[in-house]
């Protein structure tokens, strides 16, 4: 008998993460040439040009292992953020750091608090560590920090606060975060996932980095180069926390978790203020375009602080997503986020947004809704 080797017990609880379909896969499966992807919140303007230039300079050094401490990159981040290099950890994408946080902090008798309809990677690594996942209800499509605070027990080790929240695009405010933090015990680590923080224009958005500057050990902030800097393909994210809080992560991190090209790209991207500005402006205009057309089509949406918009389609959201795919437009169905009636669409460039709206309008007509 050739039975499969039995997997680790806790993996049966895991719903695998379903990434946005790659463009080439849709081309192959549907036999279409012209495919656009608005499913993974990638930057439609391409990668930061200064990051590309920095990568080109180090290509000839690829025979060497990268600096395991990512010295230059952590120094550049520290200067950029106004913290110490010792308060920064870099990782193979923010996803890599989320995994390391769970590996480094979770025991089997721990509880982890996340919100319903939030980023699914927290759930996956909580299950891997056999800790208990507690999901609190959402409020107006966003996180309910009161509910999250109330869920804290003696067993709680981690609370993941995705701010802005993926897939809804909502934020929790400075006032809400202050009230929340006042209730969090010192032995509970609050992880603020701020993958989209550079897109946020609201005055009410918290400066969570102040907690780190003040040396508070129960806060960690996560950010990424994938979204606003257009570097999703290189896999680079970072965490900000006190050295005491980062120490367990350094114990288990792979020695070369951030590759040589990624380290160079990060340093280059941080200097690319012009690219950042252009991205933010294009995103803002794209958002307004999408809102205008959702209004015209009578579709409800959540006003977004990010580069994506959650739109309510109704019971036939899955059929709409599939029909869009057949027209070469990839968007995200939110069933896996517990929002089965919704689609999440990345704000694209002008051509992509126009094509998406046209295809959506056609699809809604075809499906008679
Ligand atoms: C995209 C995203 C990440 C992952 O970023 P990577 O650095 O590409 O791994 C993490 N958290 C949220 C909320 C995201 O949307």
């Amino acid at each position: 008998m050739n039975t499969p080797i039995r997997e680790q017990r806790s993996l049966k609880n895991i719903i695998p993460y379903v990434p946005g379909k790659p463009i080439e896969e849709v081309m192959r499966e549907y036999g279409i040439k012209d495919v656009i992807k608005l499913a993974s919140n990638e930057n439609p303007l391409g990668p930061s040009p200064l990051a590309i230039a920095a990568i080109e300079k180090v290509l000839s050094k690829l025979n060497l292992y990268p600096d395991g401490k990512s010295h230059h990159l952590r120094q550049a981040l520290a200067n950029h953020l106004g913290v110490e290099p010792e308060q920064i950890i870099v990782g193979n994408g923010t996803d890599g750091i989320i995994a390391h946080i769970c590996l480094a902090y979770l025991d089997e008798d721990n509880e982890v608090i996340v919100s319903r309809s939030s980023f699914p990677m927290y759930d996956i690594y909580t299950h891997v560590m056999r800790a208990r996942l507690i999901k609190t209800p959402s409020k107006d499509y966003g996180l309910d920090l009161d509910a999250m605070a109330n869920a804290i027990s003696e067993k709680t080790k981690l609370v993941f606060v995705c701010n802005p929240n993926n897939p809804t695009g909502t934020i929790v405010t400075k006032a809400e975060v202050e009230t929340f933090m006042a209730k969090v015990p010192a032995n509970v680590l609050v992880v603020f996932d701020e993958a989209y923080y550079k897109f946020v224009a609201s005055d009410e958005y918290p400066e969570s980095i102040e907690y780190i500057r003040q040396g508070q050990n129960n806060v960690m902030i996560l950010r990424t180069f994938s979204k606003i800097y257009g570097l999703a393909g290189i896999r680079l994210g970072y965490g900000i926390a006190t050295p005491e809080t980062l120490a367990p992560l350094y114990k288990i991190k792979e020695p070369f978790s951030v590759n040589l090209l990624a380290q160079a790209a990060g340093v280059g991207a941080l200097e690319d203020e012009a690219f950042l500005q252009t991205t933010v402006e294009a995103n803002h205009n794209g958002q307004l375009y999408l809102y205008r057309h959702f209004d015209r089509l009578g579709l409800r949406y959540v006003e977004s602080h990010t580069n994506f918009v959650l739109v309510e389609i109704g019971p036939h959201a899955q059929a709409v997503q599939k029909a869009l795919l057949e027209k070469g437009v990839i968007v995200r169905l939110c069933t896996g986020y517990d929002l089965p009636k919704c689609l999440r669409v990345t704000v694209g460039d002008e051509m992509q947004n126009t094509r998406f709206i046209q295809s959506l309008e056609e699809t809604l007509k075809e499906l008679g809704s």
Side-chain angles (χ1 to χ4, degrees):
M1 275 242 296
N2 189 23
T3 52
I5 310 297
R6 210 183 53 130
E7 67 182 13
Q8 195 229 89
R9 258 197 311 281
S10 60
L11 299 201
K12 69 178 187 309
N13 297 319
I14 293 177
I15 305 165
Y17 182 77
V18 184
K21 263 184 195 280
I23 289 177
E24 287 188 9
E25 190 176 317
V26 175
M27 287 178 170
R28 274 197 308 274
E29 280 182 17
Y30 294 86
I32 356 176
K33 286 230 166 63
D34 187 14
V35 176
I36 60 168
K37 183 179 173 197
L38 299 173
S40 300
N41 308 333
E42 292 147 334
N43 190 327
L45 306 181
S48 143
L50 292 189
I52 297 177
I55 291 169
E56 281 170 351
K57 278 199 200 136
V58 297
L59 283 173
S60 64
K61 295 185 186 159
L62 279 175
N63 57 316
L64 304 175
Y65 278 102
D67 173 7
K69 294 186 182 138
S70 298
H71 175 82
H72 290 300
L73 175 56
R74 284 174 46 247
Q75 187 68 56
L77 278 165
N79 294 344
H80 186 76
L81 299 166
V83 297
E84 299 301 319
E86 295 71 31
Q87 294 172 313
I88 293 181
I89 192 163
V90 290
N92 188 30
T94 307
D95 288 343
I97 303 179
I98 293 169
H100 285 168
I101 293 171
C102 293
L103 243 61
Y105 276 108
L106 291 180
D107 287 309
E108 290 191 21
D109 54 353
N110 283 153
E111 293 177 353
V112 177
I113 299 171
V114 301
S115 173
R116 201 179 150 187
S117 303
S118 193
F119 194 59
M121 296 313 292
Y122 320 137
D123 310 15
I124 292 179
Y125 292 106
T126 299
H127 290 312
V128 170
M129 300 310 292
R130 305 177 185 189
R132 179 156 172 242
L133 185 72
I134 311 266
K135 276 204 187 195
T136 56
S138 40
K139 186 178 82 179
D140 303 330
Y141 282 107
L143 269 52
D144 183 346
L145 284 188
D146 287 335
M148 294 181 96
N150 289 337
I152 294 175
S153 78
E154 268 158 29
K155 292 180 176 167
T156 307
K157 178 62 78 71
L158 298 174
V159 185
F160 283 100
V161 177
C162 191
N163 193 29
N165 187 45
N166 182 359
T168 60
T170 56
I171 58 167
V172 284
T173 65
K174 185 172 159 48
E176 287 172 322
V177 167
E178 277 170 9
T179 308
F180 170 74
M181 284 307 297
K183 297 184 208 163
V184 175
N187 59 352
V188 172
L189 178 59
V190 178
V191 181
F192 290 102
D193 184 343
E194 299 183 350
Y196 301 92
Y197 91 113
K198 287 266 190 192
F199 285 106
V200 182
S202 168
D203 298 337
E204 300 199 306
Y205 188 61
E207 270 289 336
S208 54
I209 199 166
E210 284 302 328
Y211 292 110
I212 317 298
R213 293 201 186 108
Q214 288 157 16
Q216 197 164 323
N217 282 328
N218 69 343
V219 172
M220 176 144 15
I221 300 164
L222 302 179
R223 294 178 185 169
T224 179
F225 284 87
S226 296
K227 312 284 162 59
I228 201 152
Y229 291 107
L231 293 172
I234 207 126
R235 313 303 305 128
L236 181 60
Y238 60 97
I240 318 164
T242 62
E244 292 81 358
T245 301
L246 295 180
L249 276 71
Y250 277 109
K251 281 193 185 170
I252 50 104
K253 153 183 132 51
E254 313 85 329
F256 306 109
S257 51
V258 176
N259 72 70
L260 192 101
L261 303 181
Q263 291 185 31
V267 175
L270 286 175
E271 289 170 7
D272 211 341
E273 273 302 319
F275 182 73
L276 221 107
Q277 283 299 324
T278 315
T279 298
V280 168
E281 272 166 39
N283 184 64
H284 182 66
N285 294 334
Q287 271 179 349
L288 296 181
Y289 174 87
L290 292 179
Y291 295 166
R292 204 161 60 238
H293 286 278
F294 289 152
D295 283 335
R296 180 176 65 78
L297 297 170
L299 297 171
R300 284 183 38 172
Y301 55 90
V302 182
E303 278 201 33
S304 172
H305 295 268
T306 64
N307 66 341
F308 58 81
V309 182
L310 188 84
V311 57
E312 221 179 82
I313 302 290
H316 54 309
Q318 185 164 13
V320 171
Q321 187 248 1
K322 192 157 172 293
L324 286 171
L325 210 54
E326 285 161 7
K327 293 176 168 46
V329 178
I330 316 171
V331 298
R332 192 59 152 263
L333 180 68
C334 292
T335 308
Y337 296 96
D338 230 351
L339 294 165
K341 293 178 183 167
C342 295
L343 297 180
R344 189 194 70 192
V345 57
T346 305
V347 179
D349 62 20
E350 276 181 43
M351 260 172 53
Q352 295 171 333
N353 294 335
T354 308
R355 169 135 172 236
F356 162 67
I357 291 292
Q358 278 171 358
S359 305
L360 178 64
E361 191 168 5
E362 263 175 46
T363 301
L364 294 174
K365 281 207 185 103
E366 283 161 15
L367 295 174
S369 53

